[in-house]
Amino acid sequence: AKVSDPEPPWWHRPSFWRRAAPRCAAAAVIVTVVLVGFLLFDAQSRLGDALEWMQDNKWEGIAAFVAVYAVAALFFFPCAILTLGAGVIYGWLGLLPVWVGATLGQTASFLVGRFLAREWVESLGTRYPRFRVVERMMQEKEGWRVVLLLRLTPGIPYAALNYLLGVSSVGFREYSAASVVGIIPGMCLLVYFGTLAKDVSDITSGDGGPSRTTSLLVTGCATGVCLTLLVVLISRYAKKTLAAAEEG
């Protein structure tokens, strides 16, 4: 019988480059936009300028806030500043535009990671052994539960997680449902701390919160402690559950 020639390695296959070329180009565009934004246009200060404009144009700026938040989540910009800013500008009502913007941004990031920049995101995921454990957990358990626990666990970069979950085995519906719920506790905490500030410049310049009467300070601190404890308890439960699943 005739022995067939050995199959060439993946990097010698034309079919691989035909599939990879547009995705690599998309990934290059994303990286370029991020670098240009930070280095050339000083994106972090631009976020502060945008928040100050929204504070002056409170209700007209809601749609702009949602759009800025979605783009920030997509391009790895600091969403925490925007969440605090929503608390300053809109009070507790700021939860709604933050939630809508975060949902749009994390959904777009998931789809980009899955369909446009998959090879690039997968190469990033291989550097983190824990991501392989997470993938195994998703295959053994309900994917939505793992996503929810990851969202509730502190210390995991929000934007990076959106992309990495895009190359996991979790389905789009499971990802979306668990994500829109899992981001709420941390979002509530940041929006609350934003409500303690008097002006957007307090959070963008790091000057701290406004002066308050003693009663408001006591009430605010007590509420903040309660919210923090609640988020910590939820986070500890999520970390313990993830650790138990890893050992199992």
Side-chain angles (χ1 to χ4, degrees):
K2 184 179 179 181
V3 179
S4 60
D5 296 332
E7 188 176 357
W10 58 268
W11 60 85
H12 285 168
R13 300 175 196 166
S15 59
F16 167 79
W17 292 108
R18 282 196 298 270
R19 294 194 309 270
R23 296 173 179 176
C24 290
V29 170
I30 292 174
V31 173
T32 301
V33 169
V34 172
L35 290 177
V36 170
F38 274 105
L39 299 179
L40 183 59
F41 297 107
D42 193 8
Q44 294 196 50
S45 67
R46 293 291 183 269
L47 287 179
D49 294 340
L51 285 173
E52 291 180 2
W53 178 85
M54 293 170 195
Q55 189 172 33
D56 296 333
N57 304 271
K58 185 176 295 186
W59 302 113
E60 298 90 339
I62 289 182
F65 181 91
V66 170
V68 169
Y69 202 106
V71 172
L74 184 63
F75 292 120
F76 295 88
F77 292 162
C79 292
I81 296 177
L82 290 171
T83 309
L84 290 168
V88 178
I89 300 170
Y90 303 108
W92 282 106
L93 291 177
L95 281 172
L96 182 59
V98 168
W99 185 80
V100 174
T103 299
L104 293 174
Q106 66 195 17
T107 301
S109 300
F110 178 89
L111 295 176
V112 169
R114 176 153 294 188
F115 298 111
L116 294 179
R118 188 178 186 89
E119 282 82 4
W120 175 66
V121 177
E122 285 178 340
S123 68
L124 294 178
T126 57
R127 302 178 186 178
Y128 303 97
R130 179 162 293 224
F131 179 70
R132 292 194 291 271
V133 175
V134 169
E135 175 60 24
R136 178 172 58 82
M137 290 166 55
M138 287 185 178
Q139 295 174 358
E140 296 176 355
K141 304 177 182 294
E142 298 95 335
W144 68 267
R145 182 181 301 177
V146 178
V147 175
L148 180 61
L149 292 173
L150 289 171
R151 291 297 188 193
L152 296 174
T153 304
I156 299 179
Y158 171 69
L161 181 61
N162 297 334
Y163 282 96
L164 288 174
L165 290 175
V167 298
S168 69
S169 58
V170 68
F172 177 73
R173 291 182 180 179
E174 293 177 304
Y175 167 83
S176 299
S179 293
V180 297
V181 174
I183 61 177
I184 292 176
M187 184 187 302
C188 289
L189 185 62
L190 287 176
V191 168
Y192 166 71
F193 285 129
T195 63
L196 298 181
K198 183 179 180 181
D199 189 82
V200 166
S201 61
D202 293 337
I203 61 172
T204 57
S205 64
D207 293 335
S211 58
R212 300 278 187 177
T213 62
T214 303
S215 60
L216 284 177
L217 281 175
V218 171
T219 303
C221 290
T223 306
V225 168
C226 292
L227 284 172
T228 303
L229 287 176
L230 178 62
V231 173
V232 168
L233 288 174
I234 294 173
S235 301
R236 287 186 63 183
Y237 170 77
K239 292 177 75 172
K240 179 189 264 186
T241 305
L242 285 173
E246 289 180 14
E247 293 175 359

